[in-house]
Structures are given as C-alpha cells and as structure tokens.
C-alpha cells in the first residue's frame, strides 16, 4: 500500500511489516507481477520501477511514459498444450552452459555501506558474487508476461517482463472507424478520442486483445460536420485494441525479450564498471600531479629555466640534481611521501586490473555471446522480421561487442605496462633520494636493479602526460584520439579484407567510447521491434459507457473494473469473455444508484468485430444503500463496498453476475445519443439488488474509503477506513482475517 505521505509499505497477511520506502517521486499506481515476486510501481514522472517484494530493492527502472502512470496491469500468457509444431519455437537459453552467472557492478570508491531499506542494517553487496539482485526479475522468464501501463495523456505501453518495450499505443491517434455500427452502412464516420485519460487496461490471456477504459471527448475527424467541439460526446469509453501480432508471435517475442533484457543488464554493468575505473584512476593521477606540481615552483625560485621533466632526465643521465630538485626530493616529498605516493599509484593500477578481470571482461564476454545468439535468431526472417528484429542492426551491435572485447584486452596490456613503469620510476627515485642524502642503507641492496632505459621512457612519455586516462575517457570528450602502432593497424586492415571488422580504425577510440557505441547500436536494434509492432496494434471496437459532466478527471474517482478471461464453459467454441463494470455515482430522479455491467464474447485468437456478442445490464442498488467502490472477482463474481445512505454502517458484498438477465446490445454505438446506462434503461435491462442478493457482511467501521483492493488468487479483500484503519477479509469465509490501525 501507499500512504498519503508517500510511503510504500509491504506487509504480510499477518500485518508483519516487511519493508517501507519513501520514493522521491510520487507513486500513482501499483501492480503485482503474476508470480507475486515483484511489484511494479508507477510514478508521477512516468517512471515505472520494479521492486523485489522480499526487501524492496529496485530491480529495474524504465521510463516509457512522459506523464503520471495512472494504471498498471501485469498478465501472463496462459500456458497452452504443446503440439509438434510448437516444438519448433521452443527456445533454450544456452548462456548458462558456457558461462557462470555474471558478476554485479563494482562498488564506487568512497560509497557508503549498503543498508537494508526496511530499517535493519544489511550486508554490503559482494562485488564478486553473482547478480542476485536480478534473480527476482529472471524468475518470471520461463513464461512470457507483459506489463501494461497507461498514463493520463492516453499512452499505453506494453513491456515484456516489465522491462522490454514491445508496443506503444497512443489512444488519441487511433482511427476510430464506425461504419460497421452505423445503420447506413455506406456512411463511414471516423472519430478521434481527444484528451484521453487511461483508467484501466487489461490484456487477454492469449495476448490477442487489449481492453482499455478511459475518459475523453469523441470528436469527428471531419470537423466540418460539427459546429463546435462541445457537441462531441464526453465521458467514459471502453476500447478494444487488436494485439493479435503479439499473441501469434509470443514465442518469438519471448526469445527476443530474454536476450534483450539480459543484454541491457550487462550493458549497465559495463557502464558502472567504466565509471568506477574513471574514478579510481582520476583520484590517483590527480594525487601524482599535485605532488609534483610543487617541483615547478621550486625550480623557478632557484633560478632554473628547466621544466621538471628535463631536471629528472638530467638527474637520470648525470646523477646530479639541481638545488631545486634536491630540495623537492629531500624536503618537500621525502622518502615517506614517496612511499605513500608509490602505494597510491600501485593500488590504483591493481584496482583497475581487478575491475577489468572480475567485472568488465566476463560481462563483455557474456554480452558478446548473447548478442551472437540474438543475431542467430534474427536470421530466421520468415518469423522474426514481422516483429522488427533487423539482422543488419543486430550485426552492427555484434561488431561493436567484438570491438569492446579487443579494447579490453588492449587496456589490460596497457595497465600491465604502466604498473611496471610506475614501479621502476619510484624505485629509481627512492635510490636517488638515498644517494643524495648520502645514505648507504643496506635496504638499497634489497631494491630491484634500475632499468635506466625504462625510466627514461617513462619520463619522456608519461611523467607529464596521462597515457592511461584517454583509454578511459568518456564519449563526451571529442579530443580523445589514441594512436595505433603500425602493426595493429596492418593487422586490422588484413582482418577487414578477410571478413573481420568493417571499421579498422576503432582502436583510435577509447574503451568508454566503444562501449557507448555498443550501447547506441543495441538501443537502435532493440527499439525496432517496438516501432514495428506498434504500427500493427489497431482499433477494433468501442463502447460509450457513460456521460461525464466534469471535464477535469484529475480529481474525479471513477469506480470501474475490467477483466478479460477465457470462458471455461465455452472451450469448444474457443470464446474469450470480457467483463466491464462501472458505477454511475450520480443519483437519478428515482433516488437510486446504478452499476452497469457489460460482457462481450468473441472467438479466439481473433475475430471480426461483427462476430462479437455483447450484453449489458444495469443494477439498481436498493434504497438506503450507496456504493463506494467495486471490483470484479475471479471470473463471474462482483465485490461491492458501500455504506448506508445515513453512513451509519458500511457493508461488503460478493455476488454472482453470470446469471443476471442481460440484454443483447450488439451493434449499439450511441455516440450522439444515450450512453450505456440509458440504453439499458430503454431496453428494460434493469435488475434491482439488495444485500440479500449476495453474501454480505456488515463492517465494524462505517467510515470506509476507496479504493477496494481484491485478490482473486488469495480470495481476499482489503478495505481502508478513514481513521487509518485497514481491514483484511477472507471472501471465501464468513469471518474477516485481521484488521489493524496504521501508524
């Protein structure tokens, strides 16, 4: 639950608090993953974060919306009996056969220890341990599941596993054609839904139909037919969007989503590893430069016009130090400072090697393998091209992943050379300092012999220049240009002729730049399926549910419920059933409140709208009763939460709705006429209900408030009270489970 002060709290059914977090951005919607191991949280800025239910840790964050996410629905494809033809599409992720679990991202230097967000101190993540934080996300990968999200601007996004965007629908851009609903079949009226606000979304279990409840203003596309937009129908609409491509290609999408979601996680580890390496080396090299910055000042004070590099080369060749250099080594730096600086540089270089060997390199190898697997999948053009997996784009990502591996190997050699060169430089300085101080210490004999040529190369090439830094430079640094030796260049040109890398100049880039190019190529390849699939998600049907007199729905709570399932009683005909239930909160002249239920049947996997069978009924709530909220429960039941008109008592009732006297309203498309309630009233589809028409119970607290939360899998209902009361009811029993008062 989310409290008014924006605390996201997770409880067990016995009210044991598991954890609580306070997100920086306001929470606007919540949704469980079908297996109950992750929680999707929609935020006001359009972000959707996935939380591990055991500890509240954020598993993954996606930004697919640009405004508040108003509703979430997570559906798993119903597992069907396997046929011989289905065996062709069974995919096995072979990566675990050849690689151990990928490591986590390394910890940033200076970062504070990790704490468990439930309040207890937690252990810091071991950088060498597998990516345990992602196990909650991967747990659902055996069966394709799709997270549907809708925002207040009318955009609906479909994300496989909650992370891989596979489809986007802008309701305001849907071409709503009504020729099949008009009495004059020759008249083709086209409409657009302006200012849509998504209330509910639901994807059928076979993934072929997306049901949407939204508010908006239905306006004719031919503006000359209307004098003003105020004449348009404004209210709540039920839309059906054809998503048959996703259902028909679910196995192929499952394969692609498995690889893409894993590759995106690995890219994140690569980038974090590079940031850590930049930080480690920047801190160490800054310390080195700061220490020797004072040498230039001392040389000028002593009247020398030579720079520090020339002074050190003179000391190396002649064994004589100027007064300024002598003072710097003996007084300003000293042997103790020299040892500390040597340890700082050696530790930084060793840390870089550890990050590469234990994080960067194994992750890059796994990533290259997964991109290769994806390239193999993309070559099955007959089935994969229809979902937008482009072989050429994946080939480009494959080439960039290979370039990253070569860059990593080169960086390892560069670091190994720098370790030896820095060590030799500091050994030479230590021996020289002792000689200048006339110290004949026996410890001098314990130091390795000096390689004067190696020291001279270091002084000429690295003493005043950062050779390692450009290899770690970010893509924003346009001045980075790393020289290639002639042998490497000739080898790459020969490989290009033999079918190797197309770009033989990539070693002029830094490793960070190459990783950025890999990221961009993967992003381009992975965004194509969403673009292609989105173009094939189209409008199928619409129903005008009710008029709204308040155009601003931001402060209007509309009790609605939506459910889509396969009718078990009609498995032979293979029909899918959709229930839509909504409340008319305004009182009529007869002083009664109405709840309207509509149900539709259509054949799976898809069928023309003309073959859809639609029924509706208006439930008239008895005098003295009012309904606060409602929710469809399981497949053919409805849960109502209400109060007496005098607010003296609150009640909860569960009632069956499959045997109600529905009336056929197939073909009704009342845009300019009555809404669905008035259609039901005119057709006589009205049924009066009281607390005797279902299993009802009187609640101990009268001041209940929406929303009503119902779990069909658990058979529970959660009711909130105005005085920070929360009650949990077992809908299958007569007694409530437990109630508590929130802090």
């Amino acid at each position: 639950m989310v409290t008014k002060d924006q605390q996201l709290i997770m409880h067990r059914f016995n009210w044991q608090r598991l954890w609580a977090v306070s997100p920086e951005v306001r929470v606007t919607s919540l949704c469980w993953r079908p297996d109950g191991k992750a929680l999707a949280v929609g935020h006001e800025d359009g972000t959707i974060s996935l939380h591990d239910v055991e500890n509240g840790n954020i598993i993954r964050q996606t930004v697919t919306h640009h405004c508040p996410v108003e509703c979430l629905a997570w559906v798993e494809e119903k597992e069907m009996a396997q046929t011989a033809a289905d065996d062709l599409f069974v995919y096995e992720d072979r990566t675990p056969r050849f690689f151990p679990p990928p490591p986590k991202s390394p910890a940033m230097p200076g970062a504070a220890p990790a704490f468990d967000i439930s309040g207890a101190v937690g252990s810091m993540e071991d950088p060498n341990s597998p990516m345990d934080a992602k196990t909650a996300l991967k747990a659902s990968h055996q069966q394709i599941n799709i997270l549907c999200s809708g925002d207040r601007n009318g955009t609906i996004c479909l994300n496989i596993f909650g992370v891989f965007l596979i489809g986007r629908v802008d309701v305001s851009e849907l071409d709503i054609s009504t020729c099949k609903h008009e009495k004059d079949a020759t008249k083709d009226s086209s409409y657009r839904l302006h200012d849509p606000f998504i209330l509910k979304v639901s994807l059928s279990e076979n993934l072929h139909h997306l049901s949407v409840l939204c508010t908006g203003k239905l306006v004719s596309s031919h503006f000359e037919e209307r004098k003003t937009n105020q004449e348009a129908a404004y209210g709540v609409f039920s839309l059906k969007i054809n998503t048959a491509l996703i259902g028909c290609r679910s196995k192929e999408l499952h394969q692609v989503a498995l690889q893409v979601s894993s590759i995106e996680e690995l890219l994140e580890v690569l980038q974090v590893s590079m940031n850590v390496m930049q930080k480690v080396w920047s801190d160490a090299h800054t310390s080195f430069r700061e220490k020797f910055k004072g040498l230039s000042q001392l040389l000028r004070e002593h009247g020398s016009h030579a720079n520090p590099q020339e002074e050190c080369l003179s000391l190396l060749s002649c064994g004589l130090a100027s007064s300024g250099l002598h003072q710097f080594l003996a007084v300003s730096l000293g042997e103790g400072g020299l040892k500390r600086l040597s340890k700082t540089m050696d530790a930084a270089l060793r840390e870089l090697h550890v990050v590469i060997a234990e994080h960067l390199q194994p992750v890059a190898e796994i990533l290259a393998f997964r991109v290769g697997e994806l390239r193999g999948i993309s070559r099955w053009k007959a089935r994969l091209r229809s979902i937008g997996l482009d072989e050429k784009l994946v080939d480009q990502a494959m080439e960039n992943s290979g370039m990253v591996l070569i860059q990593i190997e080169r960086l390892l050699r560069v670091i190994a050379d720098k370790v030896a060169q820095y060590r030799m430089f500091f050994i030479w300085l230590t021996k020289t300092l002792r000689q200048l101080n006339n110290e004949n210490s026996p410890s001098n004999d314990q130091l390795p012999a000096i390689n004067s040529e190696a020291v001279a190369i270091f002084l000429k090439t690295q003493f005043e220049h950062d050779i390692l830094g450009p290899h770690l430079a970010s893509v924003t640094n346009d001045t980075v240009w790393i020289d290639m030796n002639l042998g490497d260049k000739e080898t790459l040109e020969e490989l290009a002729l033999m079918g190797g890398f197309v770009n033989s100049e990539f070693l002029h880039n830094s490793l960070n730049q190459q990783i950025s190019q890999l990221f961009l190529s993967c992003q381009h390849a992975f965004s194509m399926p969403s673009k292609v699939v989105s173009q094939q998600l189209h409008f199928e049907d619409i129903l005008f549910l009710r008029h709204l007199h308040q155009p601003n729905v931001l402060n209007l709570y509309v009790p609605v419920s939506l459910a889509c399932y396969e009718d078990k009683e009609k498995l032979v005909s293979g029909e899918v059933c959709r229930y839509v239930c909504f409340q008319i909160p305004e009182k009529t002249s007869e002083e009664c409140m109405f709840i309207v239920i509509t149900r539709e049947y259509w054949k799976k996997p898809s069928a023309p709208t003309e073959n859809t069978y639609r029924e509706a009924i208006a439930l008239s709530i008895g005098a003295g009763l009012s309904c606060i909220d409602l929710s469809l429960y399981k497949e053919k039941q409805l849960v109502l939460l209400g109060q007496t008109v005098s607010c003296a008592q609150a009640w909860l009732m569960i009632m069956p709705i499959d045997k109600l006297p529905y009336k056929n309203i197939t073909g009704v498309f009342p845009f300019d006429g009555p809404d669905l309630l008035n259609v039901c009233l005119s057709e006589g589809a009205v049924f009066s209900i009281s607390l005797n028409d279902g299993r009802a119970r009187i609640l101990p607290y009268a001041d209940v408030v929406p929303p009503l939360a119902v779990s069909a899998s658990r058979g529970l209902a959660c009711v909130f009270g105005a005085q920070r009361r929360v009650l949990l009811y077992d809908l299958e029993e007569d007694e409530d489970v437990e109630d508590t008062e929130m802090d």
Side-chain angles (χ1 to χ4, degrees):
M1 67 183 71
V2 180
T3 60
K4 285 187 176 181
D5 61 354
Q6 287 301 295
Q7 269 202 332
L8 174 61
I9 308 175
M10 177 71 68
H11 288 94
R12 295 193 187 278
F13 287 139
N14 60 2
W15 296 114
Q16 174 194 359
R17 178 179 291 194
L18 289 179
W19 48 265
V21 295
S22 298
E24 296 180 358
V25 183
R26 190 173 72 89
V27 176
T28 53
S29 52
L30 293 172
C31 175
W32 289 99
R33 196 174 69 185
D35 64 359
K37 295 182 179 179
L39 184 71
V41 181
H43 296 275
E44 193 172 33
D45 62 352
T47 302
I48 299 176
S49 55
L50 307 184
H51 292 256
D52 187 336
V53 299
E54 292 299 326
N55 49 36
N57 291 337
I58 294 180
I59 306 169
R60 193 77 171 272
Q61 278 189 327
T62 59
V63 184
T64 53
H65 296 271
H66 304 291
C67 62
V69 181
E70 294 295 333
C71 60
L72 294 166
W74 210 329
V75 63
E76 185 173 65
E77 182 184 28
K78 186 173 182 179
E79 190 172 356
M80 307 298 292
Q82 292 287 333
T83 64
D86 291 332
D87 293 338
L88 295 173
F89 311 115
V90 173
Y91 176 73
E92 177 194 4
D93 183 7
R94 302 188 302 169
T95 310
R97 288 190 185 183
F98 305 101
F99 298 95
K104 295 179 182 179
S105 301
M108 184 65 69
F115 290 87
D116 187 275
I117 58 179
S118 61
V121 179
S123 59
M124 192 184 303
E125 291 184 353
D126 181 7
N128 299 318
S129 63
M131 300 172 68
D132 294 331
K134 309 296 183 182
T135 53
L137 181 63
K138 294 181 181 296
S140 68
H141 285 187
Q142 297 301 320
Q143 191 77 11
I144 187 171
N145 57 75
I146 298 180
L147 175 63
C148 308
S149 55
D151 63 34
R152 66 175 52 173
N153 284 348
T155 300
I156 302 169
C157 295
L158 308 178
N159 290 272
I160 299 180
F161 306 137
V163 296
F164 176 45
L165 180 65
I166 192 56
R168 186 192 300 270
V169 178
D170 187 348
V171 172
S172 63
E173 297 296 325
L174 288 176
D175 184 13
I176 302 175
S177 178
T178 67
C179 62
K180 51 185 168 289
H181 298 276
E182 301 287 352
K183 295 180 180 179
D184 183 2
T186 62
K187 181 182 177 182
D188 186 1
S189 301
S190 182
Y191 291 82
R192 289 292 176 91
L193 196 60
H194 289 193
D195 303 324
F197 187 107
I198 308 299
L199 300 174
K200 298 283 185 181
V201 290
S202 178
L203 189 63
S204 60
E205 290 182 339
N206 60 12
L207 311 183
H208 283 76
H209 294 92
L210 176 67
S211 298
V212 182
L213 296 182
C214 65
T215 62
K217 181 187 295 183
L218 200 66
V219 179
S220 173
S221 299
H222 307 290
F223 291 103
E224 63 272 11
E225 295 181 2
R226 295 181 179 273
K227 296 180 181 180
T228 62
N229 285 349
Q230 280 72 22
E231 296 179 11
Y234 183 83
V236 181
F237 294 87
S238 170
L239 297 173
K240 187 163 68 175
I241 298 172
N242 189 307
T243 59
L245 177 65
I246 296 178
C248 294
R249 290 287 184 266
S250 63
K251 291 182 173 59
E252 292 82 351
L253 289 170
H254 187 206
Q255 297 174 18
V256 173
L258 277 173
Q259 294 296 352
V260 169
S261 59
S262 297
I263 290 171
E264 289 178 342
E265 292 172 7
L266 297 171
L267 285 170
E268 181 182 342
V269 177
L270 285 183
Q271 193 56 63
V272 172
S273 300
M274 290 303 303
N275 294 339
V276 170
M277 293 171 66
Q278 279 183 308
K279 172 70 174 173
V280 169
W281 179 247
S282 175
D283 291 348
H285 194 261
T286 299
S287 299
F288 182 83
R289 292 179 60 185
E290 290 295 326
K291 287 293 183 181
F292 282 92
K293 185 184 295 185
L295 177 56
S296 299
Q297 181 66 26
L298 283 174
L299 292 177
R300 287 193 297 269
E301 291 176 357
H302 285 80
S304 174
H305 298 288
N307 59 38
Q309 182 189 49
E310 293 171 344
E311 285 287 339
C312 290
L313 285 171
S314 176
L315 177 61
L316 176 66
S317 59
C318 304
L320 298 176
S322 64
S323 57
L325 179 59
H326 191 174
Q327 181 180 343
F328 173 77
L329 293 176
V331 180
S332 300
L333 189 60
E335 187 170 346
L338 195 61
K339 287 181 179 180
R340 287 191 295 271
L341 185 58
S342 174
K343 289 181 179 180
T344 297
M345 300 305 295
D346 191 66
L349 289 168
R350 283 189 286 107
E351 179 65 19
L352 293 182
H353 189 277
V354 168
V355 172
I356 294 175
E358 298 183 0
H359 299 272
L360 200 67
Q361 192 171 39
V363 166
E365 291 172 351
I366 297 173
L367 188 148
F369 181 83
R370 286 195 175 277
V371 174
E373 292 282 272
L374 195 61
R375 183 173 68 167
I377 297 173
S378 69
R379 291 184 173 179
W380 195 358
K381 298 180 181 179
R383 298 195 65 87
L384 274 299
R385 173 151 305 185
S386 63
I387 62 172
L389 190 62
D390 191 292
E391 182 182 355
K392 292 183 179 179
L393 295 179
V394 180
D395 280 343
Q396 184 60 48
M398 184 66 196
E399 176 160 312
N400 283 323
S401 65
M403 292 176 180
V404 168
L405 286 172
I406 292 179
Q407 291 270 27
I408 291 174
E409 289 290 344
R410 181 177 68 167
L411 184 58
L412 280 173
R413 294 198 300 269
V414 170
I415 291 175
D417 291 341
K418 301 314 165 207
V419 169
Q421 291 169 0
Y422 271 100
R423 284 178 179 174
M424 185 56 62
F425 170 71
F426 284 111
I427 290 172
W428 168 69
L429 275 186
T430 302
K431 283 191 172 184
T432 301
L433 179 60
R434 290 174 179 176
Q435 291 173 358
L436 292 174
N437 292 334
N438 296 319
E439 295 180 2
N440 294 320
S441 173
S443 60
N444 275 348
D445 299 331
Q446 299 176 2
L447 294 174
I450 297 174
N451 185 337
S452 299
E453 182 180 359
V455 176
I457 293 174
F458 177 86
L459 291 172
K460 292 178 181 178
T461 60
Q462 298 185 60
F463 183 71
E464 293 185 341
H465 301 89
D466 184 6
I467 303 299
L468 183 57
H471 290 272
L472 306 175
S474 64
V475 72
T476 57
N477 189 351
D478 296 329
T479 62
V480 172
W481 179 265
I482 300 175
D483 292 330
M484 293 171 55
N485 61 58
L486 184 61
D488 288 343
K489 188 171 183 178
E490 291 177 350
T491 301
L492 287 174
E493 289 175 350
E494 291 175 1
L495 288 174
L497 293 174
M498 299 171 60
F501 298 125
V502 176
N503 179 15
S504 59
E505 301 290 324
F506 74 92
L507 285 179
H508 287 303
N509 298 330
S510 69
L511 174 57
N512 213 344
Q513 288 173 325
Q514 200 63 56
I515 290 176
S516 296
Q517 290 187 14
L518 171 61
F519 177 82
L520 291 175
S521 61
C522 288
Q523 191 178 49
H524 194 193
F526 300 162
S527 65
M528 286 304 294
S530 173
K531 294 178 181 178
V532 172
V533 172
S534 297
Q535 294 173 356
Q536 301 181 64
L537 306 180
H538 55 83
F539 164 79
E540 189 168 286
D541 197 13
I542 187 170
L543 184 63
F544 187 20
L545 299 182
R546 55 167 289 199
H547 283 282
L548 282 180
H549 303 298
Q550 181 178 346
N552 183 10
V553 296
L554 297 182
N555 299 319
L556 176 65
Y557 182 76
V558 182
V560 292
S561 188
L562 175 65
C564 224
Y565 66 94
E566 184 175 311
D567 196 336
K568 296 178 180 178
E569 295 180 0
K570 300 188 177 183
L571 290 177
V572 178
S573 58
E575 289 188 349
V576 177
C577 182
R578 178 180 73 159
Y579 275 92
V580 177
C581 185
F582 63 96
Q583 176 185 329
I584 308 294
E586 299 87 356
K587 294 281 186 177
T588 66
S589 59
E590 288 80 12
E591 290 298 322
C592 61
M593 179 178 289
F594 285 99
I595 295 173
V596 181
I597 304 174
T598 175
R599 66 179 179 184
E600 302 171 3
Y601 291 95
W602 64 85
K603 290 186 180 295
K604 63 173 188 174
S606 61
T609 305
E610 291 87 343
N611 294 332
T612 298
Y613 182 74
R614 180 181 292 142
E615 300 173 319
I617 191 170
L619 302 181
S620 173
I621 301 179
L625 300 177
S626 65
C627 182
I628 295 176
D629 204 357
L630 52 84
S631 177
L632 288 165
Y633 175 62
K634 295 189 175 178
E635 294 182 349
K636 298 175 182 179
Q637 298 181 82
L638 178 65
V639 180
L640 301 176
L641 174 67
Q643 292 175 316
T644 58
V645 174
S646 61
C647 297
Q649 288 182 318
W651 51 270
L652 185 72
M653 182 174 72
I654 178 171
M655 61 175 292
I657 57 175
D658 58 322
K659 304 301 183 182
L660 295 174
Y662 291 91
K663 292 286 186 178
N664 182 9
I665 60 167
T666 304
V668 173
F669 193 74
F671 285 164
D672 301 313
D675 57 19
L676 188 58
L677 172 61
N678 287 288
V679 171
C680 291
L681 294 176
S682 63
E683 296 290 334
V686 180
F687 185 78
S688 298
I689 62 171
S690 65
L691 296 184
N692 296 324
D693 290 299
R695 290 192 293 112
R697 65 187 74 179
I698 302 300
L699 306 186
Y701 307 104
D703 51 350
V704 294
V705 295
L708 168 67
V710 172
S711 169
S713 61
R714 295 280 187 166
L716 296 171
C718 189
V719 178
F720 293 90
Q723 301 299 322
R724 295 183 300 180
R725 285 277 180 180
V726 184
L727 301 98
L728 200 61
Y729 284 94
D730 188 339
L731 296 177
E732 305 300 325
E733 301 292 338
D734 293 332
E735 299 296 332
D736 56 321
V737 177
E738 193 165 346
D739 64 271
T740 188
E741 181 176 353
M742 299 302 298
D743 296 328

